[in-house]
Amino acid sequence: MKTLLATLLLIAAGAAQAQSLQAFVRGSQQAIVTAQQGKPFVLALWSLDCVFCRDDLALLGKLMAKYPKLAVVTLATDPPEQRDELQKVLDRYRLGGAANWLFADTFVERLRYEIDPQWFGELPRTYFYGADGTRTAVSGQLDAQEVERWIKSAGHHE
């Protein structure tokens, strides 16, 4: 009986984990911003094929551990068929506590435009949102010291 219960718990945990990547479709950008309204947060766009993206994910995972109140949202630009591999990468970099999304519309240009009309798909791409709704976009690999400065200026303390 205990073995059956343990097996069921493992299956349930696996199913919950597989559901942690939310489908990013039209309107999702506004839903993310609305959910974080009044709070500073980081939106990190990434892909499995992007080497520097993994470095950024590793950095964000470490910073989330250091600053528990840091709100991080990740958005994978890969197709939904890669959900399992995406989840493994997020787990590896301890980003299970972040709000994690993946592109779920084949018309990716529309999704990119909704996120930022000035973004043409280069990765990594990171947005730093202030509590007042202002945002700063960074294309390319993140600088750890710059991110820590932003975290502290945004009001997150150790």
Side-chain angles (χ1 to χ4, degrees):
M1 185 65 146
K2 288 182 183 178
T3 304
L4 177 61
L5 180 58
T7 303
L8 290 174
L9 288 173
L10 284 173
I11 291 169
Q17 185 179 50
Q19 297 300 320
S20 68
L21 276 161
Q22 300 174 71
F24 189 93
V25 294
R26 289 179 66 190
S28 295
Q29 173 68 17
Q30 188 56 50
I32 290 168
V33 171
T34 300
Q36 300 295 332
Q37 190 169 8
K39 300 179 281 188
F41 73 98
V42 178
L43 172 62
L45 286 70
W46 68 286
S47 172
L48 291 170
D49 298 330
C50 171
V51 175
F52 293 121
C53 293
R54 291 179 188 240
D55 293 339
D56 285 0
L57 294 175
L59 172 63
L60 292 171
K62 289 175 186 171
L63 291 172
M64 284 181 66
K66 184 175 180 178
Y67 301 97
K69 293 183 181 180
L70 176 63
V72 174
V73 178
T74 72
L75 174 54
T77 60
D78 302 286
E81 297 80 29
Q82 294 183 304
R83 174 183 296 272
D84 290 342
E85 192 173 348
L86 293 165
Q87 188 63 58
K88 287 177 186 173
V89 171
L90 292 167
D91 291 344
R92 181 178 313 131
Y93 296 116
R94 301 178 312 199
L95 289 163
N100 298 303
W101 297 74
L102 79 150
F103 274 13
D105 187 331
T106 56
F107 191 10
V108 297
E109 292 81 7
R110 177 173 45 208
L111 295 178
R112 287 196 312 246
Y113 188 84
E114 186 175 318
I115 294 164
D116 182 351
Q118 301 302 311
W119 177 54
F120 300 102
E122 69 277 4
L123 294 172
R125 178 82 166 181
T126 309
Y127 295 91
F128 295 91
Y129 283 80
D132 61 358
T134 59
R135 76 176 182 181
T136 303
V138 176
S139 286
Q141 193 168 9
L142 294 174
D143 177 277
Q145 291 178 332
E146 288 293 321
V147 177
E148 287 227 37
R149 273 195 280 281
W150 177 83
I151 290 170
K152 291 175 182 173
S153 72
H156 297 292
H157 303 289
E158 292 183 68

